[in-house]
Amino acid sequence: NGSYENAAELEKLWNHKIPISHGKNFVEAIFVSPVKALFICNFNPAQSLPNLDEAHKSLKKTFLVSIASYPDKTTELADVVLPSPILPECNGTITNGERRIRKLNLVSKTKLIPVWKIFKELAVMLGKSKHFNYKNEREIFNEIVKAVPAYKNLDANKIYNGIDGWPDKKIKFKRFMPEKFEGIDDMRNKKYPFILITHRSKFQFLTGEMTSKSKTLMKMAEKPGFYINSKNAKQLGLKKGQNIIVSSPVSEIKNKIWIDDNLPDKIIAATFHSEKLLINRLYP
């Protein structure tokens, strides 16, 4: 059990008693104590989670609703798929990775239902319509500014007039500080002589639902597969383009091998963007 610092404010804002006990986080809901049903919105855990073999087993057992703009591995496993508009088809605001809040303006009309209306209809079905009686995106943002502590310094009128805003953020350090690692190191041994690392491609984004649709980006992107340096390839008797099997304590994957002499000794690398190489199957 725990408590929320602004629980009293929220109860006053919503005129409703709210629970203060902690629910399950996403990892717990998938791996530790799987839930009966999941609503997933524009998120692709069937490709991005670690230990994917176990994750897929769990996702197949739950009643899965995937709200997505593009087909992906998660929609393949879903019991219900609801299409959602892409950003140019939306009104409202967006908070990006640098914490910038920007007004989002509809550029292209669509017949698809905005995601907030999907959740509003769900609230009606669950008998909670009085707490989801929003008429538009602006009303939702007005409530966010009142309800979320980090957003209380924002002026909703300025945001909607095209002036970018920033949530409140406490700066703990103004310079990088060394961090003592207290986790578990993956060590090389006779059975597993290589360390596997995953990395981003500058030509792809996340699990590739959008960027993989671009013929130009796909031409420039790295080929799906495993990469090692030429020295290690020669030691193993491998040639580029050859199919190999890479195994870990939890799974194994068959794919092509490619050469990259920027990689250190005994390192094998792969990007995580492609459905043709579900690299997270190898991570426990």
Side-chain angles (χ1 to χ4, degrees), residues 204-234:
Q204 295 293 317
F205 183 68
L206 298 182
T207 49
E209 293 83 16
M210 293 184 289
T211 48
S212 64
K213 305 294 187 293
S214 167
K215 292 181 180 179
T216 303
L217 290 175
M218 291 303 291
K219 284 181 180 178
M220 295 188 292
E222 299 88 341
K223 297 174 182 178
F226 298 101
Y227 289 77
I228 60 175
N229 65 36
S230 56
K231 174 188 172 183
N232 291 151
K234 185 177 181 180

Side-chain angles (χ1 to χ4, degrees), residues 30-188:
I30 296 293
F31 294 109
V32 181
S33 178
V35 294
K36 293 181 179 179
L38 271 175
F39 272 75
I40 294 176
C41 184
N42 282 308
F43 173 39
N44 189 12
Q47 185 172 336
S48 62
L49 283 179
N51 203 352
L52 273 182
D53 290 348
E54 291 301 316
H56 284 190
K57 289 178 185 178
S58 181
L59 290 171
K60 288 175 181 176
K61 289 179 182 178
T62 188
F63 183 81
L64 178 60
V65 180
S66 179
I67 304 172
S69 300
Y70 296 93
D72 56 30
K73 294 301 292 183
T74 302
T75 60
E76 287 181 19
L77 300 179
D79 298 280
V80 177
V81 177
L82 300 175
S84 71
I86 59 176
L87 288 182
E89 299 170 330
C90 297
N91 276 313
T93 62
I94 183 170
T95 305
N96 66 17
E98 62 172 343
R99 299 174 65 86
R100 183 190 299 270
I101 301 171
R102 177 168 287 178
K103 176 71 175 69
L104 196 64
N105 297 309
L106 185 144
V107 176
S108 176
K109 290 185 178 180
T110 178
K111 293 182 180 179
L112 297 179
I113 301 172
V115 173
W116 69 270
K117 286 189 176 181
I118 293 175
F119 284 105
K120 180 179 178 179
E121 289 300 314
L122 179 64
V124 172
M125 295 177 186
L126 296 175
K128 301 295 181 181
S129 58
K130 69 177 182 177
H131 297 294
F132 284 80
N133 57 352
Y134 310 106
K135 296 182 177 64
N136 51 51
E137 296 86 352
R138 176 64 186 269
E139 289 189 359
I140 297 173
F141 186 67
N142 288 343
E143 183 174 287
I144 289 173
V145 171
K146 293 178 182 177
V148 181
Y151 283 67
K152 288 186 177 182
N153 68 313
L154 295 173
D155 185 327
N157 290 323
K158 287 184 178 180
I159 300 291
Y160 265 76
N161 283 325
I163 302 173
D164 295 352
W166 303 81
D168 181 40
K169 182 180 181 181
K170 294 179 181 178
I171 301 175
K172 294 182 179 180
F173 302 105
K174 292 188 177 181
R175 59 189 177 90
F176 288 109
M177 300 291 288
E179 180 69 21
K180 184 180 179 182
F181 180 71
E182 296 180 351
I184 300 174
D185 280 316
D186 290 325
M187 304 298 292
R188 296 183 182 95

